Amino acid sequence: MFRRAALTVAIGSLSLLTSRPAAAASLDLTAQRDDGSLIHWSIDRRRGGPKQGILVLAQGSGCLAATKNANLLRAKGLLPEFAMVMVEKYGVRPHDAPKDPLGGCSPAFHAHHTVSQRVADYQRVLARVERSPWWDGRLVLFGGSEGGAAVSILAPRVGPTAVVVFSTAPGRSFRQTFKLTVPTEVAAQADSEFAKITADPVSPKLWGGNSHRWWADILDHDLTADLLSVRAPILIVHGERDRSGPVQIARKVRDEFQGAGRCNLTYWEFAGYDHQMQDAAGVSHVDEVMQRISRWLVAKVSTGPSEDCPTFE
């Protein structure tokens, strides 16, 4: 019985990766890292035809499973004809929903989770999915908050058709960006903490909700340079009241693209909206924003990448 059930699951997994999708079929799968640990990921081919593009959805901070992330569930509707891929972070199992998704994470998460590890995991999963005969060559990356940093780094490595960076300030230095997001007294202590992190860069010791390993990995990474090396259409979506990703950093990215004579960046800044796309009264506008992103993506994946025309809005 066990062997037959295992064989049935294996055949179902192979079928989803190689043939026409079943209706509303979502499957949890695994890949293996070089250290032997498992990457948990899921694919949902939804209502696409025999040929489909791939939509990668990258979640924000913490150890809540991607499959439980409310914003990613909203983002499912961005490109309904695309196969949707989500990858869990190191130390996060499918459908994990801790009571505290920031402070209640596993030891494995704190010991190994970094943005660079996420990028490596996405590359490994995509290398597998892109071998599927149903893939039509189109790849769209969508990342919010920390996920926006992940797709910014991932994009030049995988040659996407389009990239969406949502509620993320992909600046030149997270070291500087962080100081703009915290109270003055915390910012004043930051350099001292950063020195401790630099001296102990692979420690699972926590500061500011993340491990030393996580901080050391992202602290001086130049996300703007990553995005400037991408030729596909890029959309940055930012709230003017965002306190987690300072809007002035997002504006600098826009200005650097303009200064470089690049026209593949579309920049949307929503007046009065915060990190979650809520206005000052606490009313959420995220569904409206997602619908607008969907229209932008549909146009871009239909026409293909181009730098022939200005795209600033």
Side-chain angles (χ1 to χ4, degrees):
M1 286 287 291
F2 176 79
R3 289 180 63 189
R4 184 163 54 188
L7 180 60
T8 300
V9 171
I11 292 173
S13 301
L14 182 63
S15 173
L16 190 63
L17 288 172
T18 60
S19 64
R20 267 186 90 98
S26 181
L27 192 65
D28 295 330
L29 297 168
T30 60
Q32 194 171 59
R33 300 184 182 93
D34 290 339
D35 66 1
S37 64
L38 293 181
I39 304 169
H40 295 282
W41 63 284
S42 64
I43 184 168
D44 186 348
R45 290 198 57 197
R46 301 186 286 176
R47 62 175 184 265
K51 289 288 187 179
Q52 287 181 280
I54 298 168
L55 170 63
V56 175
L57 300 178
Q59 69 273 40
S61 302
C63 54
L64 179 70
T67 52
K68 297 294 184 180
N69 185 292
N71 283 334
L72 290 197
L73 295 179
R74 288 187 175 95
K76 282 186 175 184
L78 290 174
L79 290 168
E81 304 301 324
F82 275 50
M84 184 180 66
V85 171
M86 296 190 294
V87 180
E88 302 299 351
K89 300 171 185 176
Y90 202 119
V92 177
R93 297 165 300 180
H95 314 293
D96 273 356
K99 291 182 179 179
D100 181 358
L102 295 176
C105 304
S106 69
F109 175 86
H110 290 307
H112 298 283
H113 166 61
T114 65
V115 177
S116 290
Q117 182 64 63
R118 292 187 65 177
V119 172
D121 290 350
Y122 283 118
Q123 287 183 271
R124 188 168 295 244
V125 168
L126 284 173
R128 176 178 174 182
V129 180
E130 289 176 351
R131 292 196 298 268
S132 303
W134 52 259
W135 183 47
D136 65 11
R138 293 179 296 172
L139 172 65
V140 172
L141 308 178
F142 176 97
S145 195
E146 183 189 289
V151 300
S152 296
I153 300 170
L154 177 65
R157 304 183 185 192
V158 296
T161 308
V163 183
V164 180
V165 179
F166 184 88
S167 290
T168 306
R172 293 286 185 179
S173 166
F174 188 71
R175 182 187 297 268
Q176 297 303 319
T177 300
F178 171 78
K179 293 178 183 179
L180 298 174
T181 68
V182 295
T184 305
E185 59 273 18
V186 177
Q189 300 169 4
D191 286 334
S192 173
E193 293 297 331
F194 293 158
K196 296 176 186 176
I197 289 165
T198 302
D200 193 14
V202 296
S203 171
K205 181 179 179 181
L206 301 182
W207 181 72
N210 288 298
S211 69
H212 280 206
R213 181 187 289 268
W214 184 93
W215 283 103
D217 173 70
I218 196 65
L219 204 53
D220 295 306
H221 191 96
D222 190 338
L223 297 174
T224 302
D226 289 321
L227 289 178
L228 280 167
S229 68
V230 175
R231 297 299 173 181
I234 301 167
L235 172 63
I236 291 180
V237 181
H238 218 85
E240 178 258 335
R241 292 177 52 248
D242 194 330
R243 297 294 178 263
S244 296
V247 70
Q248 57 265 49
I249 302 297
R251 291 170 182 166
K252 286 182 179 179
V253 178
R254 173 202 61 193
D255 294 345
E256 290 207 45
F257 269 78
Q258 290 177 328
R262 299 286 300 282
C263 61
N264 64 317
L265 175 68
T266 301
Y267 177 78
W268 293 347
E269 182 180 312
F270 291 94
Y273 292 5
D274 65 8
H275 192 65
Q276 300 294 337
M277 295 295 151
Q278 293 183 352
D279 62 26
V283 177
S284 175
H285 298 270
V286 68
D287 289 330
E288 306 157 32
V289 174
M290 287 292 184
Q291 289 171 9
R292 186 173 172 185
I293 294 171
S294 177
R295 291 192 293 271
W296 183 89
L297 279 173
V298 168
K300 296 304 179 184
V301 300
S302 299
T303 60
S306 173
E307 290 200 26
D308 296 336
C309 305
T311 55
F312 291 98
E313 300 181 12

